[in-house]
Amino acid sequence: MEETKEYARSLTIARQLCNIMQQHQLQDIGELKEWLEHNNIAVETIQLLMNGSELAKKVELYRQQDKEMAILALRTKIRNYQRHRLFIRISSTAAAIILLISFGLLFHKLSQQEESQALVSIIPTISSPMIITPDGEYHDLSKITTDTTHHLNIAYKSTEEIKYTYQSQANNIEEERFNQLIIPNQCNYQVTLCDGSTIRLNAGSRLEYPNSFPSHERKVRLSGEAYFEIKHDGRPFTVEIRQASIRVYGTQFNINAYQDTNIETVLVEGKIGISIRDSSHQEKILKPNQLSRLNLLTGEQKIVEVDIQKYIAWTTGFLRYDNDPLELLIQDLNRWYGSDFEFSNNNLKNIRISASINKDTPLQEVLAMIQTTAKIKFHLIERRYLITR
């Protein structure tokens, strides 16, 4: 549990450093380091993370947790924050501490531990859904040809959906190899897996899944938000979200895992069990119309009765809020409209708001409605909206 807390803490610091780069228009890691040295920001925390005796533990921890999504999220965020293209050389074990390396963590220490895994990689800016195969091939779903879909075992593709060729249970799979379906901001996408289960992914999400499931289980991995409709075929179906697991028994449910340390799951019908892997946390069963809030740092889980329509409205093109903090709404606008926002005062994040927003509504109309409802103002400054009273 202590390692999990340290992991989340380090990831939070990395995001804060990205925010500093954006706010002060710093062009590269060197400028960020110089800015921090002159402004004495988080010195104690950064020194702790730089501590040589702690480095090996962190490297091992990052090897096991969310490597690929951390790489993608940090690269994408840094690239969005800079005016010029930035090429990042990283080790696969240093995904979430990429920004900390330049504060004294010598790169060769990581390279010596996993020299064979060190890489120079350029992730393209993602503007449409993309599949990354187990062999590392990138396929833009807006451009792939019929020959490519056949090669990927995709039976049907449209602008909003792909369907894999239906397969019965596979008995001869020696090792599961996972594809990655990555959905950018301003986009929803649906995938029908080889067992007939459908998963609708919200903007800024990622799903890992195999082309074929083995005979004894079905397993996928999620980051972001998705709505699941799972076919019952006798095999258990498990969704892994970081160190949490959701065991499915043939059902419909929604998972929101945008936050690093909190997972919200709402059950529409059927039954699911939620647990934390490799811990003493016992599986808790969710009933229809119930919401589970699981804190991965503390293991605390709350289950409450809710109006499920609020949590699945995004699947029908709406964003719904019922006395929710303004910060939540702004985060959704960022993912859906692709616009950046900044609060002039952190207290503004806690303003409560109720609203129903059609995703087809132009952003300016949405902002005008929010200004009236929440009694705030949006100021467009260099492609970023500053939120004030």
Side-chain angles (χ1 to χ4, degrees):
M1 185 63 69
E2 191 63 34
E3 287 185 339
T4 302
K5 291 181 180 179
E6 188 66 27
Y7 166 74
R9 183 185 183 197
S10 301
L11 193 57
T12 298
I13 292 171
R15 283 202 171 92
Q16 291 173 344
L17 295 179
C18 285
N19 289 335
I20 290 173
M21 292 185 71
Q22 177 190 30
Q23 182 178 353
H24 297 278
Q25 298 183 353
L26 306 179
Q27 300 299 317
D28 55 33
I29 299 298
E31 290 187 15
L32 173 61
K33 179 180 178 182
E34 182 178 356
W35 189 93
L36 288 171
E37 288 174 346
H38 284 84
N39 289 273
N40 196 33
I41 299 296
V43 172
E44 180 179 353
T45 302
I46 292 173
Q47 287 178 344
L48 173 64
L49 293 171
M50 289 168 54
N51 186 293
S53 63
E54 295 295 320
L55 179 59
K57 296 180 182 178
K58 290 181 177 58
V59 167
E60 177 63 26
L61 184 60
Y62 286 116
R63 180 186 292 115
Q64 299 172 1
Q65 300 190 46
D66 288 333
K67 294 183 294 185
E68 297 296 336
M69 193 57 186
I71 292 171
L72 178 65
L74 285 176
R75 286 178 183 158
T76 302
K77 198 163 190 177
I78 292 172
R79 187 167 285 106
N80 288 339
Y81 289 168
Q82 297 178 340
R83 295 179 178 176
H84 304 290
R85 194 175 183 90
L86 177 64
F87 299 92
I88 304 169
R89 184 182 183 210
I90 66 172
S91 164
S92 63
T93 60
I97 52 173
I98 180 173
L99 293 180
L100 304 179
I101 292 175
S102 48
F103 294 96
L105 299 179
L106 297 180
F107 182 77
H108 74 269
K109 290 184 178 180
L110 298 180
S111 300
Q112 289 172 355
Q113 293 185 30
E114 291 197 39
E115 183 174 356
S116 63
Q117 297 185 35
L119 53 89
V120 177
S121 180
I122 302 171
I123 298 290
T125 300
I126 298 175
S127 59
S128 58
M130 174 177 291
I131 288 179
I132 304 177
T133 69
D135 297 323
E137 298 176 355
Y138 289 76
H139 296 281
D140 185 332
L141 287 176
S142 67
K143 300 177 181 178
I144 61 174
T145 64
T146 302
D147 289 341
T148 303
T149 57
H150 180 74
H151 169 69
L152 296 175
N153 207 31
I154 295 173
Y156 171 82
K157 183 191 79 71
S158 70
T159 56
E160 297 181 347
E161 179 184 13
I162 55 172
K163 293 183 179 180
Y164 279 84
T165 303
Y166 179 80
Q167 297 182 21
S168 58
Q169 300 180 12
N171 297 308
N172 300 319
I173 297 179
E174 296 182 0
E175 177 185 3
E176 284 187 276
R177 306 183 70 210
F178 287 80
N179 299 297
Q180 298 180 53
L181 176 59
I182 302 171
I183 310 303
N185 287 344
Q186 302 176 270
C187 183
N188 291 341
Y189 208 78
Q190 180 167 298
V191 55
T192 300
L193 302 179
C194 62
D195 66 339
S197 298
T198 61
I199 303 172
R200 187 163 187 82
L201 291 152
N202 205 351
S205 300
R206 184 197 64 167
L207 182 73
E208 295 184 36
Y209 57 93
N211 280 345
S212 300
F213 292 112
S215 59
H216 62 287
E217 68 173 356
R218 296 172 292 169
K219 180 173 65 177
V220 300
R221 303 173 187 134
L222 172 70
S223 179
E225 184 171 23
Y227 182 81
F228 293 77
E229 295 185 41
I230 303 304
K231 296 292 185 181
H232 179 72
D233 72 355
R235 291 173 294 177
F237 192 106
T238 302
V239 184
E240 294 184 350
I241 312 102
R242 291 181 283 282
Q243 63 265 43
S245 290
I246 297 177
R247 190 174 177 87
V248 183
Y249 302 91
T251 188
Q252 296 182 34
F253 59 100
N254 190 84
I255 301 174
N256 184 324
Y258 282 124
Q259 297 185 37
D260 296 319
T261 58
N262 293 285
I263 299 173
E264 286 192 347
T265 307
V266 63
L267 181 61
V268 178
E269 65 177 53
K271 184 174 71 171
I272 57 177
I274 303 174
S275 63
I276 298 179
R277 299 191 304 278
D278 303 323
S279 77
S280 59
H281 184 276
Q282 294 184 343
E283 180 182 79
K284 292 188 178 180
I285 301 298
L286 212 59
K287 299 177 181 179
N289 300 315
Q290 287 187 333
L291 169 72
S292 162
R293 291 190 177 97
L294 176 61
N295 186 310
L296 296 177
L297 292 183
T298 64
E300 180 182 5
Q301 183 178 10
K302 294 181 179 179
I303 298 178
V304 295
E305 300 284 336
V306 296
D307 173 11
I308 61 173
Q309 295 305 317
K310 167 187 172 181
Y311 298 91
I312 65 174
W314 69 268
T315 64
T316 57
F318 286 85
L319 301 172
R320 283 187 54 183
Y321 308 92
D322 182 12
N323 198 34
D324 290 308
L326 179 62
E327 181 181 26
L328 175 62
L329 185 154
I330 294 300
Q331 289 171 347
D332 287 340
L333 294 186
N334 169 257
R335 278 188 289 267
W336 185 246
Y337 290 95
S339 297
D340 291 327
F341 297 86
E342 180 179 350
F343 287 92
S344 62
N345 186 322
N346 284 336
N347 291 332
L348 298 178
K349 297 179 180 180
N350 299 318
I351 293 175
R352 296 289 164 170
I353 189 168
S354 297
S356 180
I357 301 172
N358 188 319
K359 288 183 174 182
D360 292 331
T361 304
L363 177 59
Q364 292 305 317
E365 292 184 23
V366 174
L367 298 184
M369 179 274 293
I370 297 173
Q371 286 187 146
T372 302
T373 304
K375 295 179 170 43
I376 59 173
K377 295 181 179 180
F378 293 94
H379 306 275
L380 182 57
I381 303 174
E382 294 184 354
R383 294 176 295 181
R384 170 189 297 273
Y385 288 96
L386 178 67
I387 305 172
T388 67
R389 273 294 191 185

